Short mmCIF file of all heavy atoms in Angstrom, two decimals:
data_model
loop_
_atom_site.label_atom_id
_atom_site.label_comp_id
_atom_site.label_asym_id
_atom_site.label_seq_id
_atom_site.Cartn_x
_atom_site.Cartn_y
_atom_site.Cartn_z
N GLN A 12 26.49 165.63 92.84
CA GLN A 12 25.55 165.71 93.91
C GLN A 12 26.30 165.48 95.20
O GLN A 12 27.18 164.45 95.18
CB GLN A 12 24.40 164.81 93.76
CG GLN A 12 23.52 165.09 92.65
CD GLN A 12 22.40 164.08 92.60
OE1 GLN A 12 22.54 162.83 92.54
NE2 GLN A 12 21.20 164.54 92.57
N VAL A 13 26.03 166.23 96.20
CA VAL A 13 26.75 166.05 97.53
C VAL A 13 25.62 165.59 98.50
O VAL A 13 24.60 166.41 98.62
CB VAL A 13 27.56 167.17 97.94
CG1 VAL A 13 28.13 166.96 99.36
CG2 VAL A 13 28.52 167.58 96.87
N ILE A 14 25.85 164.58 99.27
CA ILE A 14 24.90 164.23 100.27
C ILE A 14 25.60 164.16 101.63
O ILE A 14 26.77 163.56 101.74
CB ILE A 14 24.38 162.71 99.99
CG1 ILE A 14 23.74 162.68 98.55
CG2 ILE A 14 23.38 162.31 101.15
CD1 ILE A 14 23.62 161.23 98.18
N VAL A 15 25.12 165.00 102.53
CA VAL A 15 25.76 165.15 103.94
C VAL A 15 24.71 164.64 104.87
O VAL A 15 23.58 165.19 104.94
CB VAL A 15 26.21 166.58 104.16
CG1 VAL A 15 26.69 166.73 105.71
CG2 VAL A 15 27.32 166.94 103.16
N ASN A 16 25.08 163.69 105.74
CA ASN A 16 24.14 163.24 106.76
C ASN A 16 22.77 162.70 106.17
O ASN A 16 21.82 163.11 106.67
CB ASN A 16 23.95 164.37 107.82
CG ASN A 16 23.51 163.78 109.12
OD1 ASN A 16 24.03 162.65 109.51
ND2 ASN A 16 22.56 164.39 109.86
N ALA A 17 22.94 162.04 104.98
CA ALA A 17 21.74 161.41 104.37
C ALA A 17 20.83 162.57 103.71
O ALA A 17 19.73 162.26 103.32
CB ALA A 17 21.06 160.57 105.19
N ALA A 18 21.26 163.83 103.57
CA ALA A 18 20.37 164.93 102.97
C ALA A 18 21.26 165.47 101.82
O ALA A 18 22.45 165.87 101.93
CB ALA A 18 20.19 165.95 104.04
N PHE A 19 20.53 165.72 100.70
CA PHE A 19 21.21 166.29 99.47
C PHE A 19 21.47 167.71 99.87
O PHE A 19 20.69 168.40 100.37
CB PHE A 19 20.28 166.16 98.32
CG PHE A 19 20.19 164.84 97.66
CD1 PHE A 19 19.23 163.96 97.92
CD2 PHE A 19 21.21 164.55 96.74
CE1 PHE A 19 19.26 162.63 97.46
CE2 PHE A 19 21.19 163.21 96.21
CZ PHE A 19 20.18 162.34 96.48
N VAL A 20 22.78 168.14 99.46
CA VAL A 20 23.14 169.56 99.60
C VAL A 20 22.84 170.23 98.21
O VAL A 20 22.90 169.80 97.20
CB VAL A 20 24.74 169.64 99.79
CG1 VAL A 20 25.24 171.02 99.68
CG2 VAL A 20 25.08 168.90 101.07
N PRO A 21 22.18 171.50 98.38
CA PRO A 21 21.73 172.18 97.25
C PRO A 21 22.86 172.47 96.32
O PRO A 21 23.99 172.69 96.74
CB PRO A 21 21.26 173.57 97.85
CG PRO A 21 20.88 173.27 99.28
CD PRO A 21 21.90 172.27 99.69
N ASP A 22 22.64 172.47 95.00
CA ASP A 22 23.70 172.65 94.03
C ASP A 22 24.43 173.90 94.22
O ASP A 22 25.57 173.96 93.93
CB ASP A 22 23.07 172.62 92.56
CG ASP A 22 22.74 171.14 92.06
OD1 ASP A 22 23.25 170.11 92.64
OD2 ASP A 22 22.04 171.09 90.97
N GLU A 23 23.77 175.00 94.60
CA GLU A 23 24.48 176.32 94.73
C GLU A 23 25.40 176.22 95.98
O GLU A 23 26.35 177.15 96.03
CB GLU A 23 23.41 177.44 94.95
CG GLU A 23 22.56 177.24 96.15
CD GLU A 23 21.17 176.62 95.84
OE1 GLU A 23 21.04 176.00 94.86
OE2 GLU A 23 20.29 176.78 96.64
N ASN A 24 25.27 175.23 96.73
CA ASN A 24 26.27 175.12 97.80
C ASN A 24 27.61 174.44 97.40
O ASN A 24 28.64 174.48 98.06
CB ASN A 24 25.74 174.25 98.95
CG ASN A 24 24.83 174.99 99.94
OD1 ASN A 24 24.22 176.10 99.45
ND2 ASN A 24 24.64 174.57 101.18
N VAL A 25 27.71 173.87 96.18
CA VAL A 25 28.90 173.33 95.65
C VAL A 25 29.54 174.47 94.79
O VAL A 25 29.10 174.88 93.79
CB VAL A 25 28.59 172.12 94.63
CG1 VAL A 25 29.89 171.67 94.09
CG2 VAL A 25 27.87 171.03 95.38
N THR A 26 30.48 175.10 95.50
CA THR A 26 31.14 176.41 94.91
C THR A 26 32.28 176.09 93.92
O THR A 26 32.66 176.91 93.16
CB THR A 26 31.61 177.26 96.01
OG1 THR A 26 32.58 176.59 96.78
CG2 THR A 26 30.43 177.63 96.85
N PHE A 27 32.88 174.90 94.04
CA PHE A 27 33.92 174.50 93.00
C PHE A 27 34.02 173.03 92.98
O PHE A 27 33.83 172.28 93.94
CB PHE A 27 35.34 175.08 93.53
CG PHE A 27 36.40 174.65 92.60
CD1 PHE A 27 36.67 175.32 91.35
CD2 PHE A 27 37.27 173.50 92.82
CE1 PHE A 27 37.65 174.96 90.60
CE2 PHE A 27 38.30 173.24 92.00
CZ PHE A 27 38.58 173.81 90.88
N SER A 28 34.14 172.53 91.70
CA SER A 28 34.37 171.07 91.42
C SER A 28 35.39 170.93 90.31
O SER A 28 34.94 171.43 89.12
CB SER A 28 33.02 170.40 91.27
OG SER A 28 33.24 169.05 90.75
N GLY A 29 36.58 170.52 90.57
CA GLY A 29 37.49 170.40 89.40
C GLY A 29 38.88 170.02 89.89
O GLY A 29 39.15 169.79 91.08
N LEU A 30 39.79 169.93 88.91
CA LEU A 30 41.06 169.50 89.33
C LEU A 30 41.85 170.60 89.95
O LEU A 30 41.78 171.85 89.60
CB LEU A 30 41.90 169.05 88.08
CG LEU A 30 41.43 167.83 87.32
CD1 LEU A 30 42.18 167.61 86.12
CD2 LEU A 30 41.47 166.66 88.37
N ASN A 31 42.51 170.38 91.00
CA ASN A 31 43.35 171.45 91.70
C ASN A 31 44.67 171.56 90.93
O ASN A 31 45.46 170.66 90.60
CB ASN A 31 43.67 170.81 93.19
CG ASN A 31 44.52 171.78 93.97
OD1 ASN A 31 45.54 172.29 93.64
ND2 ASN A 31 43.99 172.09 95.11
N PRO A 32 44.93 172.86 90.62
CA PRO A 32 46.14 173.10 89.72
C PRO A 32 47.44 172.86 90.50
O PRO A 32 48.45 172.75 89.75
CB PRO A 32 45.94 174.48 89.36
CG PRO A 32 45.08 175.08 90.53
CD PRO A 32 44.18 174.07 90.92
N TYR A 33 47.55 172.80 91.82
CA TYR A 33 48.74 172.60 92.53
C TYR A 33 49.04 171.13 92.83
O TYR A 33 50.18 170.81 93.20
CB TYR A 33 48.72 173.50 93.84
CG TYR A 33 48.47 174.96 93.57
CD1 TYR A 33 47.19 175.57 93.73
CD2 TYR A 33 49.46 175.66 92.88
CE1 TYR A 33 46.97 176.95 93.45
CE2 TYR A 33 49.32 177.06 92.60
CZ TYR A 33 47.96 177.61 92.88
OH TYR A 33 47.86 178.93 92.56
N PHE A 34 48.06 170.37 92.76
CA PHE A 34 48.22 168.89 93.11
C PHE A 34 47.62 168.12 91.87
O PHE A 34 46.43 167.75 91.85
CB PHE A 34 47.40 168.58 94.38
CG PHE A 34 47.96 169.24 95.60
CD1 PHE A 34 47.39 170.40 96.05
CD2 PHE A 34 49.02 168.83 96.28
CE1 PHE A 34 47.78 171.08 97.15
CE2 PHE A 34 49.55 169.44 97.43
CZ PHE A 34 48.96 170.59 97.88
N PRO A 35 48.48 167.65 91.03
CA PRO A 35 48.09 166.91 89.83
C PRO A 35 47.30 165.68 90.24
O PRO A 35 47.72 164.94 91.03
CB PRO A 35 49.36 166.52 89.15
CG PRO A 35 50.33 167.66 89.50
CD PRO A 35 49.86 167.97 91.03
N GLY A 36 46.21 165.54 89.55
CA GLY A 36 45.31 164.28 89.78
C GLY A 36 44.41 164.33 90.94
O GLY A 36 43.53 163.47 91.20
N LEU A 37 44.42 165.47 91.67
CA LEU A 37 43.53 165.72 92.82
C LEU A 37 42.28 166.43 92.39
O LEU A 37 42.32 167.57 91.93
CB LEU A 37 44.24 166.54 93.99
CG LEU A 37 43.35 166.84 95.24
CD1 LEU A 37 43.11 165.45 96.00
CD2 LEU A 37 44.09 167.80 96.17
N TRP A 38 41.18 165.87 92.60
CA TRP A 38 39.88 166.42 92.36
C TRP A 38 39.38 167.22 93.60
O TRP A 38 39.21 166.56 94.65
CB TRP A 38 38.82 165.45 91.92
CG TRP A 38 37.51 165.97 91.65
CD1 TRP A 38 37.06 167.06 91.24
CD2 TRP A 38 36.22 165.09 91.86
NE1 TRP A 38 35.69 167.21 91.16
CE2 TRP A 38 35.19 166.03 91.57
CE3 TRP A 38 35.98 163.93 92.27
CZ2 TRP A 38 33.90 165.71 91.70
CZ3 TRP A 38 34.61 163.53 92.48
CH2 TRP A 38 33.68 164.38 92.13
N GLU A 39 39.28 168.47 93.52
CA GLU A 39 38.88 169.30 94.68
C GLU A 39 37.49 169.61 94.57
O GLU A 39 36.87 169.91 93.58
CB GLU A 39 39.68 170.61 94.62
CG GLU A 39 39.36 171.55 95.73
CD GLU A 39 40.18 172.83 95.84
OE1 GLU A 39 41.30 172.79 95.24
OE2 GLU A 39 39.72 173.81 96.12
N LEU A 40 36.69 169.50 95.70
CA LEU A 40 35.23 169.79 95.83
C LEU A 40 35.12 170.82 96.97
O LEU A 40 35.37 170.43 98.04
CB LEU A 40 34.59 168.59 96.03
CG LEU A 40 33.03 168.44 95.91
CD1 LEU A 40 32.64 168.94 94.42
CD2 LEU A 40 32.47 167.09 96.15
N ASP A 41 34.67 171.91 96.74
CA ASP A 41 34.42 172.96 97.69
C ASP A 41 32.91 173.08 97.96
O ASP A 41 32.15 173.39 97.00
CB ASP A 41 34.94 174.32 97.38
CG ASP A 41 36.45 174.35 97.25
OD1 ASP A 41 37.14 173.39 97.65
OD2 ASP A 41 36.97 175.27 96.63
N VAL A 42 32.50 172.73 99.21
CA VAL A 42 31.06 172.52 99.53
C VAL A 42 30.75 173.31 100.79
O VAL A 42 31.46 173.19 101.86
CB VAL A 42 30.61 171.16 99.67
CG1 VAL A 42 29.26 171.01 99.92
CG2 VAL A 42 30.98 170.30 98.39
N LYS A 43 29.72 174.12 100.77
CA LYS A 43 29.23 174.84 102.03
C LYS A 43 28.20 173.84 102.66
O LYS A 43 27.23 173.36 102.00
CB LYS A 43 28.43 176.11 101.69
CG LYS A 43 27.97 176.73 102.91
CD LYS A 43 27.03 177.92 102.75
CE LYS A 43 26.53 178.56 103.97
NZ LYS A 43 25.71 177.64 104.79
N ILE A 44 28.60 173.48 103.79
CA ILE A 44 27.77 172.40 104.53
C ILE A 44 26.46 173.13 105.00
O ILE A 44 26.62 174.20 105.63
CB ILE A 44 28.51 171.75 105.73
CG1 ILE A 44 29.91 171.17 105.14
CG2 ILE A 44 27.66 170.79 106.44
CD1 ILE A 44 29.70 169.94 104.11
N PRO A 45 25.36 172.58 104.76
CA PRO A 45 24.10 173.20 105.26
C PRO A 45 24.05 173.50 106.81
O PRO A 45 24.50 172.65 107.55
CB PRO A 45 23.02 172.22 104.87
CG PRO A 45 23.51 171.39 103.75
CD PRO A 45 25.05 171.34 104.03
N ASP A 46 23.59 174.53 107.12
CA ASP A 46 23.43 174.96 108.56
C ASP A 46 22.55 173.95 109.37
O ASP A 46 22.74 173.83 110.54
CB ASP A 46 22.76 176.38 108.68
CG ASP A 46 23.66 177.51 108.23
OD1 ASP A 46 24.81 177.22 108.15
OD2 ASP A 46 23.17 178.49 107.82
N SER A 47 21.72 173.27 108.66
CA SER A 47 20.88 172.23 109.36
C SER A 47 21.62 170.92 109.67
O SER A 47 21.05 170.18 110.38
CB SER A 47 19.63 171.91 108.41
OG SER A 47 20.15 171.41 107.12
N THR A 48 22.82 170.79 109.25
CA THR A 48 23.59 169.64 109.50
C THR A 48 24.05 169.60 110.99
O THR A 48 24.56 170.64 111.53
CB THR A 48 24.94 169.60 108.75
OG1 THR A 48 24.59 169.74 107.36
CG2 THR A 48 25.66 168.26 108.97
N PRO A 49 23.66 168.56 111.80
CA PRO A 49 24.00 168.53 113.15
C PRO A 49 25.51 168.35 113.48
O PRO A 49 26.18 167.77 112.55
CB PRO A 49 23.24 167.32 113.66
CG PRO A 49 23.16 166.41 112.58
CD PRO A 49 23.06 167.24 111.31
N PRO A 50 25.97 169.05 114.62
CA PRO A 50 27.40 168.66 114.88
C PRO A 50 27.66 167.30 115.16
O PRO A 50 26.83 166.52 115.53
CB PRO A 50 27.60 169.61 116.06
CG PRO A 50 26.35 169.84 116.60
CD PRO A 50 25.28 169.65 115.52
N GLY A 51 28.95 166.89 114.77
CA GLY A 51 29.28 165.58 115.13
C GLY A 51 30.71 165.28 114.54
O GLY A 51 31.27 166.07 113.77
N ASP A 52 31.30 164.24 115.15
CA ASP A 52 32.74 163.89 114.76
C ASP A 52 32.81 163.07 113.48
O ASP A 52 33.85 163.00 112.93
CB ASP A 52 33.35 163.13 115.89
CG ASP A 52 33.70 164.09 117.18
OD1 ASP A 52 33.73 165.39 116.96
OD2 ASP A 52 33.74 163.54 118.30
N ALA A 53 31.73 162.45 113.13
CA ALA A 53 31.77 161.51 111.92
C ALA A 53 30.49 161.65 111.18
O ALA A 53 29.70 160.73 111.08
CB ALA A 53 32.05 160.18 112.38
N ILE A 54 30.22 162.74 110.44
CA ILE A 54 29.07 162.98 109.65
C ILE A 54 29.34 162.45 108.22
O ILE A 54 30.43 162.83 107.68
CB ILE A 54 28.70 164.55 109.64
CG1 ILE A 54 28.57 165.10 110.98
CG2 ILE A 54 27.63 164.73 108.65
CD1 ILE A 54 27.35 164.50 111.71
N GLN A 55 28.62 161.54 107.79
CA GLN A 55 28.83 160.80 106.57
C GLN A 55 28.61 161.75 105.33
O GLN A 55 27.73 162.45 105.25
CB GLN A 55 28.04 159.59 106.38
CG GLN A 55 28.40 158.82 105.20
CD GLN A 55 27.83 157.40 105.25
OE1 GLN A 55 27.32 156.82 106.20
NE2 GLN A 55 27.77 156.82 104.03
N VAL A 56 29.57 161.74 104.39
CA VAL A 56 29.52 162.41 103.11
C VAL A 56 29.45 161.39 101.95
O VAL A 56 30.38 160.58 101.98
CB VAL A 56 30.66 163.51 102.94
CG1 VAL A 56 30.67 164.21 101.70
CG2 VAL A 56 30.69 164.43 104.21
N VAL A 57 28.70 161.66 101.00
CA VAL A 57 28.75 160.84 99.83
C VAL A 57 28.65 161.75 98.57
O VAL A 57 27.92 162.71 98.58
CB VAL A 57 27.49 159.93 99.71
CG1 VAL A 57 27.49 159.07 98.44
CG2 VAL A 57 27.43 158.95 100.85
N ILE A 58 29.52 161.53 97.67
CA ILE A 58 29.50 162.31 96.40
C ILE A 58 28.97 161.39 95.23
O ILE A 58 29.38 160.23 95.18
CB ILE A 58 30.98 162.80 96.01
CG1 ILE A 58 31.73 163.39 97.14
CG2 ILE A 58 30.91 163.59 94.74
CD1 ILE A 58 31.04 164.71 97.69
N VAL A 59 28.04 161.91 94.51
CA VAL A 59 27.53 161.16 93.43
C VAL A 59 27.83 161.96 92.10
O VAL A 59 27.44 163.11 91.92
CB VAL A 59 26.01 160.96 93.54
CG1 VAL A 59 25.47 160.18 92.27
CG2 VAL A 59 25.70 160.27 94.79
N TYR A 60 28.67 161.34 91.24
CA TYR A 60 29.09 162.00 89.93
C TYR A 60 28.76 161.12 88.79
O TYR A 60 29.26 159.98 88.83
CB TYR A 60 30.55 162.43 90.07
CG TYR A 60 31.06 163.12 88.84
CD1 TYR A 60 30.60 164.49 88.74
CD2 TYR A 60 31.92 162.64 87.95
CE1 TYR A 60 30.95 165.21 87.73
CE2 TYR A 60 32.40 163.43 86.86
CZ TYR A 60 31.83 164.63 86.79
OH TYR A 60 32.36 165.41 85.71
N LYS A 61 27.99 161.56 87.93
CA LYS A 61 27.59 160.86 86.69
C LYS A 61 26.95 159.56 87.18
O LYS A 61 27.08 158.53 86.46
CB LYS A 61 28.68 160.60 85.70
CG LYS A 61 29.34 161.85 85.13
CD LYS A 61 30.27 161.72 84.22
CE LYS A 61 30.71 163.04 83.54
NZ LYS A 61 31.83 162.87 82.60
N GLY A 62 26.12 159.67 88.29
CA GLY A 62 25.32 158.33 88.72
C GLY A 62 26.20 157.49 89.56
O GLY A 62 25.60 156.48 89.96
N ILE A 63 27.42 157.77 89.73
CA ILE A 63 28.30 156.82 90.48
C ILE A 63 28.65 157.36 91.90
O ILE A 63 29.17 158.53 92.01
CB ILE A 63 29.69 156.63 89.74
CG1 ILE A 63 29.33 156.01 88.31
CG2 ILE A 63 30.53 155.63 90.57
CD1 ILE A 63 30.52 156.01 87.46
#
Side-chain angles (χ1 to χ4, degrees):
Q12 291 181 307
V13 180
I14 304 166
V15 175
N16 203 38
F19 283 95
V20 173
D22 282 346
E23 60 268 15
N24 283 25
V25 179
T26 58
F27 179 80
S28 174
L30 294 177
N31 182 305
Y33 303 105
F34 297 96
L37 178 69
W38 176 31
E39 179 178 329
L40 192 59
D41 296 344
V42 179
K43 180 190 179 299
I44 302 302
D46 292 337
S47 60
T48 304
D52 291 336
I54 301 298
Q55 188 168 339
V56 177
V57 178
I58 309 300
V59 180
Y60 186 65
K61 295 184 178 181
I63 301 170

